[in-house]
Structures are given as structure tokens and as C-alpha cells.
Amino acid sequence: DIAYQGQWSWVGNPANWDGLAYHSPVTNYAMTLPMFLSNDPTVARLFMAILSALTVVVSMRLMQRYTDSSTALIAGLFIAVLPQLVEWGRFVWNPSFAPLFIMLWIFTLLLGYYEGKRHYQVWHGLWLSLCFQSQAVLLMLVPVSMLAILIWHWHHRRWRDFAITCMSVLVVIVSC
């Protein structure tokens, strides 16, 4: 509707479980990008394939940062031939965005809370939000993020920042 008629949607596609009536419209908004170029479904599939390839690149950068180049190459090859990622790269649906968002969530988790780079902690919250907006079952990532936040704040003794972070995560969860 956005690409063709200019109608903005506040809810996404209907969900099939009782805890959530609708998916987030973020994936609908993201899918308008290829639709602005062409109505051909091949363009949308190409867009999803590019996101899958970007997932491989992000995973290789992640592995290269924390291990070495040969391990990054092996991990990239394994992820590139992962049957689910190849299959999901051919279809346009909400879970197709999840692998890229999960890799970026892991990357920012490590940069923000393992290496202590504060601006990546903000990006980590964004990628966490996008993870469970693409697939609701990814709410299971929230406890991992909260544990990383707790450990980081426990180590640095910044309890005021911890309270602000918890409130921010709570606002993100409630708003979605």
C-alpha cells in the first residue's frame, strides 16, 4: 500500500498467535524500497538475496574481529551455504530479515558490552528491537541482552545508567 497508494500502515501483517495480534510494520516499510524501483517480484527477491549476502559479510567481520581471517572465511562460507539462509533469501516474508538483524545484534552486543563502546550499546537496543519486530519469537533475545547489560553495569558500577537502560529496554518492548 505504501509503494502503490501512499498509505502508511500502523500495523503489519496479522500474526497467528494470541500474544500478538499483528506483526510490526517495519518489514512492510523495508519492503517498499524495492517496490519503489519496480513492481516485478524479482526485484524484491533480489533485495532479500542482497540482505542474505550482507548477513554473510557481517558474520565474517564479526569473526574477523574476534578471531582471525581464516576462521572468518570458514564461518562466512558455512553461513553462505546455510540452507535456511539460501531458502529465506528467495522469499519475501518477515523472518527473512531476522538473520541480518541477529548478526548485527550480536555484533553490537560484543562491541557495546564486551569492548565497552557506549555508542554501540544504543545501536544494540535498536537491533534488538528490529530482531523481534521481524520475528516475534526473537523476544527470547531480550534476557540475553539484559544479562549483558547487568554484567556490564555491575562491572562498571554505573547504577543510574543501568536504571535508564532498563527503562529504555522496557519502553522498546512495550511499544512493540
Side-chain angles (χ1 to χ4, degrees):
D1 287 339
I2 299 169
Y4 298 119
Q5 300 161 352
Q7 293 179 342
W8 287 87
S9 173
W10 294 107
V11 294
N13 304 328
N16 60 353
W17 60 291
D18 296 332
L20 183 69
Y22 292 95
H23 290 287
S24 168
V26 169
T27 53
N28 293 351
Y29 297 152
M31 285 314 303
T32 59
L33 298 173
M35 291 298 168
F36 282 130
L37 298 175
S38 172
N39 295 351
D40 187 12
T42 307
V43 175
R45 289 181 177 165
L46 181 63
F47 178 70
M48 296 312 295
I50 290 170
L51 289 181
S52 292
L54 194 57
T55 303
V56 174
V57 171
V58 170
S59 67
M60 288 178 68
R61 279 292 290 147
L62 175 70
M63 291 302 291
Q64 186 178 17
R65 184 170 186 93
Y66 294 104
T67 59
D68 60 355
S69 298
S70 59
T71 307
L73 180 64
I74 292 169
L77 290 174
F78 276 135
I79 291 175
V81 298
L82 185 69
Q84 260 185 332
L85 195 61
V86 172
E87 185 75 18
W88 285 4
R90 296 177 48 222
F91 296 107
V92 179
W93 62 316
N94 288 352
S96 297
F97 290 93
L100 177 62
F101 293 160
I102 291 171
M103 291 309 295
L104 290 167
W105 172 79
I106 293 170
F107 206 6
T108 55
L109 176 90
L110 292 171
L111 286 171
Y113 296 104
Y114 179 70
E115 293 187 19
K117 296 182 178 179
R118 299 283 299 212
H119 62 282
Y120 284 108
Q121 293 175 1
V122 175
W123 283 103
H124 176 72
L126 172 73
W127 293 119
L128 175 64
S129 172
L130 290 174
C131 278
F132 63 80
Q133 287 184 48
S134 66
Q135 184 67 15
V137 74
L138 293 177
L139 274 169
M140 67 183 182
L141 299 177
V142 172
V144 176
S145 290
M146 293 303 291
L147 182 63
I149 291 167
L150 180 66
I151 290 171
W152 189 84
H153 285 288
W154 181 268
H155 180 62
H156 294 292
R157 304 276 190 224
R158 295 183 178 164
W159 294 109
R160 181 183 59 89
D161 292 348
F162 177 68
I164 291 170
T165 304
C166 288
M167 293 300 293
S168 301
V169 170
L170 185 63
V171 166
V172 167
I173 291 170
V174 169
S175 66
C176 295

